[in-house]
Amino acid sequence: MRLYTDGEGRLVKVEGDRENPFNQGRLCIRCLDLPEVVYNDRRLLHPMRRDRADRGKDAWQRITWDEAYDEIEARLKDLRERYGAESVLFMQGTGRDIATWISRLAWSYGSPNYGFPLSGLACYLPRVSGMYSTTGSFWVCDCSQQFPDRYDNPAYEVPEVMVLWGNNPIVSNSDGFFGHWVVDLMKRGMDIIVIDPRMTWLGRRAALQLPIRPGTDAALALGMLNVIVNEDLYDHDFVDRWTYGFDKLAERVQDYPPDKVADITWIPEERIVKAARTFAQAERACIQWGLAVDMTREALPAIQAIAALTQITGNIDRPGGMIVPPEILFYGGGFGADLLSEEQTAKRIGLEKYPLLKFGFATLQPDEMVRQMETSEPYALHGMWMQTTNPLASMGADPDRFYRAAKELDFIVGVDLFMTPTIMALADYVLPAATYPERDGLRIGDGPQRGETINKVCQVGECKSDMEINLELGRRLNPAAWPWADVKEMFSSIIGETGYSFDELREVAPAYPQYTYRKHELGLLRPDGQPGFNTPTGRIELWSTQYAGAGLDPLPYFEEPEPGPGSTPELLDEYPLVLTTGARNWGMFHSEHRNVPRLRALRPDPIVEVHPQTAEDLGLRDGDWVWVENQRGRAKRRVQVTTVLLDPRFCSTDHAWWLPEGDPEDLFGVRGLAINNLVPWTCGKSGFGSNYKCMLVKLYKVKDGE
């Protein structure tokens, strides 16, 4: 990005940087509208506190940073001394370049209980842990993003086929993936297969669209594997040399013939067969998957099955296939895990019940966290640090249950850009964070990493960067773990292997690490330097020894979402529609941007998309306000009648709604708008995955006064 300031140092304009290989000057509207975010009149501008007895009341008192640091330090040290460091939770949301410092703050304090208040950790982490458990690495689509010369790099080859599975990358994406790359590659001859119950812009341009019933991704992948195995379309050489358990997988997929899978997924059988053949017969193929895969209760077997499509076809660690993203900092392991003693690590919430938490991100298990807040077993929880997270509006299942449990904690701190429903409801202190034009930083996060800097160009109020806040508190709580004089020195220590200091990197960025294909053949994926993959068998484990050791089924399988059409058909008379939640829109990300006027104008109200046939059957029209309800709760939505939905049995709704213009002491209206009122705290057998995107619901009109 190029950020322009005026003579007074105010940010006035944003443009894409055409010279940057990553996006080549293309930006989303949220970037272009950045000045309206930075200078928003609802920004938090200085630290504040209130009495614990005033939680939920707009009774904040302005304090200085020194007062805030001194008082928070004293309270956290007191909790550590009286109850142990494990009694304090450190919570974050989608942190991107911020997550690194939050995990270090938790572990340097001595708490093993760092994580996300999201049932089943059902965002990205199932994919990360699933991949690490079965292959020893994480994998992303190869769109040449690891090369500074991109598509012109002589080692790169364009995929023949890319599957977009539960992901609309033009609007939103993970893995450091920029959606316009799909268009770039289509212009270079690539075909796409889109798996989505909604028709997207890319779906209309796809070689094949599969309108899947939400929550049945594992069945679809197993049906495609059935075709590939039984029609002998797999890569025999790669399977024989580099995989473990193929014969057992081949036996398992016999339980999923295409006609049976068609009944489960509501996708015509011929499309399932055609998709499998198209993918397997391509010379180079990859899968760009999204959050929908994580947001079913049995997410790990779905991930295992989808990944197996690329593995048995040999589309691994090769140009135009799936690649291991280069890393400067091991993002999956957090920053500072070595600071935690074995004794404290063993106290991580959920670790004993869900041993797969040892692999991938070192987080607690959130469903167990809520239970432990309620029961104090095996030990009581007393404090919570909340940074870049708004669980009452966004990720927390059954938000009222989370609220009731969290409000009993002795001490809570929030760090954010704006006052949120969660901070208003629960926090005793709030610290004002800086937007990225107001701070220096590194782009170290998911996906292929490179040496790029975030450069401060302006200052608003007394806001400080998340990194400054964490560094200052970290030094007070554990000086030895935070030996740096300032954030620039801290950044320089992290990027040491690039050969640059932070200031030097600013002059030369982007600095790309050297990238090599076929690492598994060269011994570059294993710490012992031997060829193969970093798993107990040294191979990609189609039959997972890690899963078997954790008491889980070592092979992929499909389990019907419950409730759902296949598991609770008796509920269909009262709740006849399958609801999928969280489809992204152009102007908003999770619970952000509702308070940004131009972005809010693009989506002024929470929407539920309804098929025209459904609307006619229910007597609904465009613009009607309705309740979306199931047996657990309800949320208010405005109807949008649309043919975007490909089946009248589906409906689709926004998530993370609240009204910043509303009454703070009514928590900005979040109680009536949170679609998570319909979602229980319940995770998969592994501790990963939860049914956020596949519920049974009914719709009915809102009455006057409701």
Side-chain angles (χ1 to χ4, degrees), residues 315-502:
N315 286 293
I316 293 292
D317 204 12
R318 53 173 291 187
M322 305 297 289
I323 60 170
V324 175
E327 288 187 315
I328 296 170
L329 177 70
F330 177 38
Y331 182 67
F335 179 40
D338 57 310
L339 299 170
L340 207 60
S341 69
E342 290 186 12
E343 179 185 7
Q344 286 301 103
T345 298
K347 298 175 183 177
R348 196 191 329 163
I349 294 172
L351 189 61
E352 183 175 350
K353 184 174 182 179
Y354 300 113
L356 279 184
L357 289 171
K358 297 175 183 177
F359 307 104
F361 279 68
T363 65
L364 55 71
Q365 208 293 321
D367 303 81
E368 286 297 292
M369 176 194 74
V370 173
R371 183 199 59 77
Q372 189 161 330
M373 281 195 287
E374 294 169 331
T375 66
S376 297
E377 295 294 336
Y379 55 83
L381 299 170
H382 291 275
M384 181 162 58
W385 176 272
M386 300 187 301
Q387 189 168 351
T388 179
T389 186
N390 183 13
L392 292 186
S394 188
M395 65 171 65
D398 191 351
D400 192 53
R401 181 183 174 196
F402 177 83
Y403 166 73
R404 292 194 306 271
K407 72 182 179 70
E408 299 303 320
L409 298 175
D410 300 335
F411 180 62
I412 300 175
V413 180
V415 184
D416 219 308
L417 307 176
F418 299 91
M419 181 59 66
T420 67
T422 306
I423 291 174
M424 180 58 68
L426 294 171
D428 307 313
Y429 288 79
V430 59
L431 304 180
T435 60
Y436 59 88
E438 301 169 72
R439 63 173 170 84
D440 294 317
L442 296 173
R443 187 11 175 129
I444 295 179
D446 54 346
Q449 295 178 4
R450 55 206 175 273
E452 287 198 310
T453 61
I454 298 167
N455 306 306
K456 181 173 179 175
V457 300
C458 64
Q459 175 68 47
V460 175
E462 299 177 14
C463 300
K464 292 182 181 292
S465 74
D466 292 85
M467 300 77 178
E468 289 178 280
I469 294 169
N470 294 155
L471 174 59
E472 177 59 29
L473 272 175
R475 278 194 297 221
R476 290 165 174 255
L477 298 170
N478 185 349
W482 300 83
W484 308 285
D486 55 32
V487 290
K488 290 184 181 180
E489 188 176 309
M490 181 168 63
F491 298 154
S492 294
S493 73
I494 289 174
I495 60 174
E497 70 176 64
T498 68
Y500 300 108
S501 69
F502 178 74

Side-chain angles (χ1 to χ4, degrees), residues 479-534:
W482 300 83
W484 308 285
D486 55 32
V487 290
K488 290 184 181 180
E489 188 176 309
M490 181 168 63
F491 298 154
S492 294
S493 73
I494 289 174
I495 60 174
E497 70 176 64
T498 68
Y500 300 108
S501 69
F502 178 74
D503 283 331
E504 290 169 341
L505 182 60
R506 288 212 275 207
E507 299 302 317
V508 301
Y512 280 69
Q514 186 68 34
Y515 186 81
T516 303
Y517 287 112
R518 297 181 173 86
K519 293 180 177 65
H520 65 288
E521 297 178 359
L522 303 173
L524 299 178
L525 295 179
R526 295 176 57 88
D528 59 10
Q530 295 299 308
F533 298 85
N534 191 26

Side-chain angles (χ1 to χ4, degrees), residues 7-54:
E8 297 178 353
R10 285 178 60 90
L11 177 68
V12 294
K13 186 174 71 169
V14 174
E15 290 181 344
D17 183 357
R18 294 177 181 271
E19 296 178 2
N20 192 289
F22 179 84
N23 63 329
Q24 300 169 326
R26 297 168 293 191
L27 295 179
C28 76
I29 58 175
R30 289 168 291 188
C31 290
L32 294 171
D33 200 29
L34 183 59
E36 197 173 39
V37 178
V38 173
Y39 299 108
N40 193 288
D41 60 8
R42 291 195 175 95
R43 282 286 303 278
L44 293 170
L45 299 179
H46 44 258
M48 297 188 292
R49 70 170 172 228
R50 66 182 172 189
D51 292 335
R52 184 180 183 277
D54 287 333

Side-chain angles (χ1 to χ4, degrees), residues 203-262:
R204 293 198 181 278
R205 290 153 180 82
L208 195 60
Q209 165 88 28
L210 278 63
I212 190 169
R213 170 163 70 93
T216 62
D217 304 88
L220 175 59
L222 288 160
M224 293 173 65
L225 288 167
N226 176 288
V227 174
I228 293 169
V229 169
N230 289 342
E231 296 188 6
D232 198 25
L233 300 177
Y234 61 93
D235 185 327
H236 285 255
D237 180 65
F238 187 87
V239 165
D240 291 344
R241 295 178 62 194
W242 302 111
T243 71
Y244 175 80
F246 174 78
D247 290 345
K248 294 177 181 177
L249 175 67
E251 182 179 350
R252 172 62 58 85
V253 302
Q254 301 311 312
D255 295 335
Y256 298 92
D259 58 341
K260 176 181 175 181
V261 170

